[in-house]
Amino acid sequence: MTHTEPFIATSYDLVSCRLDMLDPAGRAAVELSRPLAAMDPWSRLGYQERQLYQGMTRPDPALKRYGVSVADRAAGLIQVRHPWLRGPYLELLAVLPDFQGQGLGRELMAWLEGQARISSKNVWVLVSAFNDRARGFYAGLGYRETAVLTDLVASGYDEILLRKSL
């Protein structure tokens, strides 16, 4: 199916996974908030399960939230803010530990960039400065550091704004 606006479908079938828009009253947010709270960077930044759940369920028409599943198992989450600064902003990308290292993150980013190309020339990402693995992941996909934001998410931690020009 071809769309003239990005991020409007309620589901997307990708090669190795499926994306389904999160239902604010649904079970997916409950299932995902606990493992995310235990993962870096969220655990190091002090995020609690309840905060993550609220972030997945609060009303926000500019935030597109999709649960990621592989063979009907919860595999992660992708949240995209659109519109943003002349392109979508990846607010959250999480691949649960059982699904890491299998190319799922790259597949999700390819989907994000494909959707962005419908109406934009940029994609934006924010990454914690201490998160070397994520920084390397995004750099490998062509994202470039554009700004350091001190104490944005948590006191004592820098966040780095990344941009990829499409």
Side-chain angles (χ1 to χ4, degrees):
M1 175 183 283
T2 305
H3 297 289
T4 57
E5 289 294 320
F7 315 109
I8 61 171
T10 57
S11 64
Y12 295 88
D13 287 312
L14 306 184
V15 173
S16 65
C17 66
R18 178 179 171 89
L19 307 181
D20 289 296
M21 194 170 283
L22 287 183
D23 175 2
R27 184 178 166 136
V30 172
E31 290 177 351
L32 291 167
S33 58
R34 177 170 289 146
L36 262 59
M39 293 171 58
D40 242 358
W42 303 283
S43 62
R44 190 179 310 190
L45 293 170
Y47 279 88
Q48 301 296 314
E49 183 179 337
R50 178 113 179 110
Q51 288 173 286
L52 290 163
Y53 172 81
Q54 289 171 336
M56 288 182 236
T57 58
R58 75 178 185 275
D60 188 337
L63 191 57
K64 314 306 179 197
R65 302 172 179 105
Y66 293 93
V68 180
S69 60
V70 173
D72 294 326
R73 288 181 56 210
L77 173 71
I78 186 167
Q79 291 186 170
V80 181
R81 183 164 299 283
H82 179 75
W84 206 63
L85 287 174
R86 298 184 179 240
Y89 163 62
L90 177 63
E91 191 166 293
L92 190 150
L93 174 64
V95 176
L96 297 180
D98 287 350
F99 299 93
Q100 292 177 2
Q102 301 171 28
L104 191 55
R106 287 185 180 278
E107 187 173 356
L108 293 170
M109 291 306 293
W111 168 80
L112 170 64
E113 292 171 12
Q115 289 292 301
R117 282 185 176 90
I118 294 171
S119 64
S120 306
K121 296 190 186 295
N122 301 293
V123 177
W124 300 91
V125 177
L126 194 67
V127 64
S128 296
F130 64 79
N131 195 341
D132 293 332
R133 187 172 175 199
R135 289 175 74 179
F137 171 74
Y138 293 118
L141 295 175
Y143 287 79
R144 301 293 169 247
E145 297 182 4
T146 60
V148 175
L149 306 168
T150 303
D151 299 328
L152 178 71
V153 175
S155 183
Y157 292 101
D158 291 345
E159 300 297 318
I160 301 171
L161 183 63
L162 309 172
R163 174 181 172 238
K164 182 173 183 177
S165 180
L166 301 175

